[in-house]
Amino acid sequence: MGMRAWVGGLLLALCSVAALANGPGAVRKQVESSLVVKGTVDITADGRVLGYALDHADKLAPAVKQLLARTVPQWQFEPVTLDPDTDRGRAPMSVRLVAKKLDGGDYRIEVRGAQFGSHRRDHVVRSVSMSPPRYPMPALHARVGGTVYVVALVGHDGRVVEAAAEQVNLGVIASETEMAAWRRVFAQAAVGGAKQWTFEPPATGPNASAGRWAVRVPVDFVMMDDESRPPPNEFEWRAYVPGPRMPLPWARDAESAEEARSGDALASGTVHLPGLGLRLRAPLGAQ
């Protein structure tokens, strides 16, 4: 039953891929189907993985859990400092899986990216108020959806000093010009909403005196009505066209190259601090 449920979910996403693939040739080749899985990982002071847990594991397909069971224990992290009374550190993680079509019509699932939070909960920036941005009316009328990866710069008072769209993924295919226009529409809406957010800066830890902190937050724009299929949940595969990544120096300066490449490996609404989480010793796929 679990495998049938997974296949059904993947096939829904792949049907969406097929529908998207009817668009312009240069764009349809970019279509991907992916799933973001959240959980936690436990590591030793020298960076070895002691164990991990997946959120809502009972709702994940056996194939997904089997892939992560082979992959996660092999990870090696950079050493961390643990509290004197513990032998392990626990940090949040999110992993993006991508389904790729093989010759003959079969599909292979692979780990595309991963993001890790800090094992020290008192060192992070916490959200206080994050009201969802308004859905842009042109996109609503055209039934276009997407995800915007916003990077916001938080000041010492918890207010957003600056915000920008790092990447915009779309759930529609059109010409390159039209796709760029839709990305601007969603980016403007997400950034405008992000500037109203407030956060609680860290009170302790090595970054408490930084004065400003960068946070990365994915913002989903998903239509919800009774006339179409319900919006995808966090356990459902999604078909989308990934957008280009824009360089944001005040976010990228602190993070590793692997973390920068995995910027879209976050679930909607997650608050991630670039450069302040666990770091892999080697890129994904090389361990």
Side-chain angles (χ1 to χ4, degrees), residues 10-287:
L10 180 55
L11 287 178
L12 284 174
L14 296 176
C15 286
S16 298
V17 169
L20 290 181
N22 290 326
V27 176
R28 70 169 179 260
K29 294 179 180 178
Q30 305 170 31
V31 177
E32 295 182 342
S33 182
S34 77
L35 172 72
V36 174
V37 178
K38 297 187 297 182
T40 57
V41 61
D42 293 355
I43 67 169
T44 61
D46 62 359
R48 290 179 293 109
V49 173
L50 288 175
Y52 69 96
L54 304 176
D55 292 355
H56 307 289
D58 59 316
K59 292 183 170 63
L60 296 174
V64 169
K65 291 186 283 189
Q66 290 165 9
L67 172 61
L68 294 175
R70 295 192 303 269
T71 304
V72 177
Q74 305 303 316
W75 288 340
Q76 291 284 333
F77 293 88
E78 293 183 3
V80 297
T81 301
L82 302 178
D83 291 332
D85 58 345
T86 184
D87 63 349
R88 67 181 60 199
R90 175 170 295 175
M93 71 172 182
S94 60
V95 182
R96 178 174 289 278
L97 307 178
V98 173
K100 301 185 68 175
K101 189 174 183 179
L102 305 175
D103 294 338
D106 292 332
Y107 290 86
R108 180 185 67 200
I109 308 173
E110 63 181 31
V111 175
R112 174 64 60 84
Q115 291 278 9
F116 306 97
S118 173
H119 66 292
R120 296 293 302 270
R121 304 301 297 164
D122 55 343
H123 291 180
V124 302
V125 173
R126 301 180 186 278
S127 62
V128 175
S129 174
M130 291 178 57
S131 298
R134 289 183 176 274
Y135 209 112
M137 293 306 295
L140 186 63
H141 292 156
R143 302 190 60 76
V144 176
T147 299
V148 182
Y149 294 88
V150 174
V151 178
L153 194 61
V154 179
H156 64 88
D157 60 355
R159 298 182 180 276
V160 174
V161 176
E162 186 176 356
E166 184 178 39
Q167 182 174 347
V168 182
N169 295 343
L170 295 176
V172 66
I173 274 193
S175 69
E176 293 282 7
T177 300
E178 291 172 311
M179 299 282 282
W182 284 125
R183 289 191 175 101
R184 287 193 296 270
V185 167
F186 283 118
Q188 183 177 9
V191 170
K195 289 181 177 178
Q196 308 306 312
W197 295 342
T198 56
F199 298 85
E200 179 185 346
T204 60
N207 299 290
S209 60
R212 292 186 176 186
W213 302 263
V215 296
R216 179 180 285 121
V217 182
V219 179
D220 272 351
F221 290 93
V222 181
M223 290 170 290
M224 300 179 66
D225 57 47
D226 296 328
E227 299 177 355
S228 63
R229 186 168 65 88
N233 57 44
E234 61 181 308
F235 316 114
E236 190 170 301
W237 292 83
R238 294 192 184 191
Y240 64 96
V241 181
R245 296 181 64 78
M246 305 301 294
L248 301 176
W250 36 276
R252 296 288 182 85
D253 288 349
E255 62 185 354
S256 66
E258 178 64 32
E259 187 178 3
R261 284 192 296 268
S262 299
D264 59 352
L266 293 171
S268 180
T270 301
V271 178
H272 177 76
L273 278 71
L276 296 186
L278 301 182
R279 294 195 180 198
L280 291 169
R281 290 184 179 179
L284 288 170
Q287 302 202 44

